[in-house]
Each structure stands twice: as structure tokens, then as C-alpha cells.
Amino acid sequence: QSLKQYIKLADNAKDPDQSGGLSEAYMALSQMAQKQGQLTQADEWLARIPPNADPLKVASRRAALLAQQGRKSDGLKLLEQVKVNTPQDARLKALAISQWLREDKQINAALTIIEQALAKFPADTDLQSELAMLCEKLGRFDQMESLLRGIMKVKPTDAHAFNALGYSLADRKIRLDEARQLILKAVQLAPRDPFIQDSLGWLEYRVGNTAEAIRILEAAYKARPDAEIAAHLGEVLWAAGAQDEARRVFADAAQRDPANEALRETLQTQAPADLGEMTPGLEALQERAMNDPRVRELLGLRGDDATAAVDSDRPKYDETKIVIFASFAMPAPSLQKVMADAEKYHAQVVFR
């Protein structure tokens, strides 16, 4: 509501100096709508951004929206087509494309982009930090650590560098005392950062301080309900025997961001086999649905073949919103399949 009120006041003022703030407000509203699955509304907010807005920021937001609509290649193309006029713009474009590719798990392609950019800007710490993240994905931990320690030397107030290395050590369960020193330094530099608090909570879990881990992670998730923080909190709650609360955390995060990699990996690798009594698997539910005449009529399927071609005269249901219903009482393999299907079809998961 505060963003909408700001937009109303700025529009009435007709002050050209307000255009930057207006752009940021519209992009923030678009991002919020996207997280709530309101993709049409998210696109409408973007359409209202002033024409003099930062083209790379706008393209990045549009690309994220296209990705959620299943148009990842279009999103990448949009970023690649952004025109740059200065070396600074070129550097930011390389970062945006690399981050896009990294999130899409195209790590080697992202590596090529960043290495090319670093050849032009070898001392740029933002590029070095992005390279460190890619090295971690590739398992090049020594190179990642070298890069992050180099950043710490030239930017001793960079909380991200301390946090990234500390978290990596804690996550790999190695050099935990050193991990604590690094994360506490990051906390000192950015005490209110929820992601740094998440790292601290995860470290406490790794060293066996489960109650303290839950306290820290719950506060971090309340401050920033991010799916990755939820993945950590849910796993710790489950390990502590608070399965019902863990289910609520997982369900909340899955509804917000079903395609989140950290959340999906947690559900796929950590979901215990005793989630509940065996219930009909996803494949059985799909078969039951496809044998229902009402479903077949809606899809325009002919005959007994569920893979028969859809009648070309039928509406395409382009605006149909896909919702997948799931339950934590489902067997683990079925729950994992639900999360994979949610990402594939860009569907919202509703737990019941």
C-alpha cells in the first residue's frame, strides 16, 4: 500500500526527478505480484515503468517474469539485447547475464561470460564474487576461497564475502570454528541481514546447537520469508522432532517459490521416508484424472488414447492457472515428483 501511495503522489507531482523512484516502485510491485503468482498483474506494473528507466534493470525484471512463464530462452535473449553505452553498463550486463545463467544451472555458460568480463575488469570485486559463486557450483572450493579472501583484503567491510565463505565451510561441515569466525564477522558488518542470520543459524545446526539454530532461523524467516531460509528452518525443525511445524514452513515456502532450487533439493534429499502412510502416488492420481470423462472433455482428448491430439477448434486455455495439490502425507517420491512438475509447468503448489 505504501508503494501505491508513493506512486500516486509522484504521478500527481509530475516531477521528472521522481522517475527513478517511480521505476523502482513499479518494479517492486511487479516482483511482489510475480511471487504471488499474479503474472498478468506483474506484467501490467512493468508496462507502467517510465521510458527513461534503467534498461538493464527493466530487462532483468521482465526476464524473470518470462522465466516463470516458461519462456527462459526469451528472457535470456531480452538481457542479451540490452544496449550498453559505457564500460560500467557492460560490466553490469555481464553480471546480470551470468546470474541469470547460474540460476538456470547453465554454470559453464555463466563462467564464460564472467571470465570474459574479468579479462576487461580484472580488479572488479563484483565480478570476482560472481566467479566465486560459480566456482562453488563447480566444486572448485579452493579457487572460491582464494577469490573471497582476496575480496576481504581489498574490501574488509564486504559482509557478503565473509558470509559466503563461512556458510560454505559450515555447509560442508569443515573448519567449523573458522566458519563461526567468518560468519560472526559478517554479522558484525551487517547485523540485520536475514541471509547472514540464516548462515549463523545453519552453523549452529551443524555444530549441534539445534534449539539456538531454530531461534535464529525463525527470526530470519520472519524478517525475510525466503525459500532458502525456509529450507534450512524446515530441515532443522524436522530434525528436532517438530514435524508439523516443519510441514507448515515447507508448505508456505513452496507456495511462494515452488521452483526454488534450495527448497526442492531439501525436499528431494531430506524428506524422510516416513512422511506418512502410503497414499496413491502422483502417477495413479494422473491416471485417475485422465480416465475422468469431464477432464478428457476439457482437454479435448478423443478416443481412448490419452495422448491423442487436442481438437484444433478448442480453446487453448492460455490464461488457465495451473495448481498442483499436494500433501506431506504423500510418499517421498511422489512429493519430489510434485515439486519437479511444479517447476516444469510453472504451477503453484497448494498443500492440504
Side-chain angles (χ1 to χ4, degrees):
Q1 291 299 326
S2 58
L3 282 173
K4 293 178 181 178
Q5 182 67 21
Y6 168 79
I7 288 172
K8 183 178 180 180
L9 292 172
D11 278 339
N12 292 337
K14 303 297 181 184
D15 184 352
D17 292 336
Q18 295 282 350
S19 61
L22 270 174
S23 299
E24 295 293 337
Y26 282 129
M27 282 190 278
L29 286 170
S30 175
Q31 187 172 15
M32 285 189 285
Q34 180 185 347
K35 286 185 176 181
Q36 295 168 0
Q38 301 171 2
L39 303 188
T40 301
Q41 180 63 68
D43 196 46
E44 289 175 359
W45 287 124
L46 288 179
R48 297 178 64 179
I49 292 176
N52 60 344
D54 184 329
L56 185 58
K57 285 186 177 181
V58 177
S60 297
R61 184 95 299 280
R62 289 190 183 280
L65 188 56
L66 287 169
Q68 190 164 343
Q69 295 170 332
R71 300 167 58 190
K72 290 185 177 181
S73 60
D74 291 338
L76 179 58
K77 187 181 298 182
L78 193 65
L79 288 173
E80 292 172 337
Q81 290 175 345
V82 173
K83 294 181 180 180
V84 295
N85 300 314
T86 67
Q88 171 71 359
D89 289 343
R91 182 187 72 85
L92 292 173
K93 179 178 177 178
L95 274 171
I97 292 176
S98 177
Q99 290 165 0
W100 170 269
L101 292 169
R102 173 161 56 87
E103 291 176 3
D104 196 38
K105 299 183 181 180
Q106 299 184 49
I107 307 302
N108 289 321
L111 185 65
T112 299
I113 295 292
I114 287 300
E115 287 179 337
Q116 291 173 349
L118 276 168
K120 299 176 181 177
F121 310 100
D124 189 277
T125 54
D126 289 335
L127 294 172
Q128 291 170 359
S129 179
E130 176 65 12
L131 178 58
M133 298 302 98
L134 295 173
C135 287
E136 183 179 36
K137 294 290 186 182
L138 293 168
R140 301 179 186 176
F141 298 114
D142 290 344
Q143 186 180 359
M144 176 202 71
E145 181 168 347
S146 177
L147 286 161
L148 291 174
R149 290 198 179 279
I151 295 172
M152 292 175 202
K153 285 184 178 180
V154 298
K155 293 181 67 177
T157 59
D158 187 333
H160 168 74
F162 289 93
N163 181 63
L165 181 54
Y167 173 81
S168 179
L169 295 175
D171 194 48
R172 288 180 282 145
K173 301 181 184 179
I174 61 173
R175 295 154 52 192
L176 294 177
D177 289 341
E178 187 177 351
R180 181 177 296 279
Q181 293 176 359
L182 290 163
I183 294 172
L184 288 178
K185 178 63 175 180
V187 170
Q188 179 185 350
L189 293 169
R192 296 185 179 181
D193 189 313
F195 293 108
I196 294 176
Q197 291 295 322
D198 172 62
S199 297
L200 181 59
W202 193 239
L203 170 68
E204 296 294 356
Y205 173 58
R206 289 304 203 197
V207 299
N209 299 332
T210 304
E212 180 66 2
I214 292 173
R215 184 189 70 79
I216 295 171
L217 289 170
E218 284 181 336
Y221 189 57
K222 182 178 180 180
R224 181 70 177 268
D226 179 84
E228 186 164 352
I229 299 176
H232 289 155
L233 175 57
E235 183 173 339
V236 177
L237 286 168
W238 196 284
Q243 282 89 354
D244 289 343
E245 182 60 27
R247 288 188 182 99
R248 285 192 288 270
V249 171
F250 285 140
D252 178 65
Q255 289 179 0
R256 293 174 183 270
D257 190 1
N260 181 271
E261 180 181 357
L263 180 64
R264 293 183 66 242
E265 287 181 354
T266 297
L267 290 175
Q268 290 173 359
T269 62
Q270 300 296 331
D274 62 345
L275 279 173
E277 296 296 321
M278 291 296 289
T279 57
L282 187 61
E283 292 77 10
L285 294 174
Q286 289 173 332
E287 181 178 359
R288 185 185 305 171
M290 293 308 299
N291 287 330
D292 189 313
R294 296 167 297 178
V295 174
R296 297 177 62 79
E297 174 67 18
L298 175 64
L299 296 176
L301 296 174
R302 299 191 299 267
D304 296 329
D305 184 5
T307 62
V310 177
D311 190 328
S312 60
D313 294 332
R314 288 190 172 274
K316 300 298 184 183
Y317 300 100
D318 290 335
E319 300 301 320
T320 300
K321 181 177 180 180
I322 302 175
V323 178
I324 299 178
F325 289 93
S327 168
F328 282 107
M330 296 170 66
S334 294
L335 183 59
Q336 293 161 10
K337 182 66 164 56
V338 163
M339 299 304 293
D341 284 348
E343 181 179 29
K344 179 179 179 181
Y345 298 112
H346 309 282
Q348 179 183 4
V349 180
V350 176
F351 287 89
R352 47 185 299 184

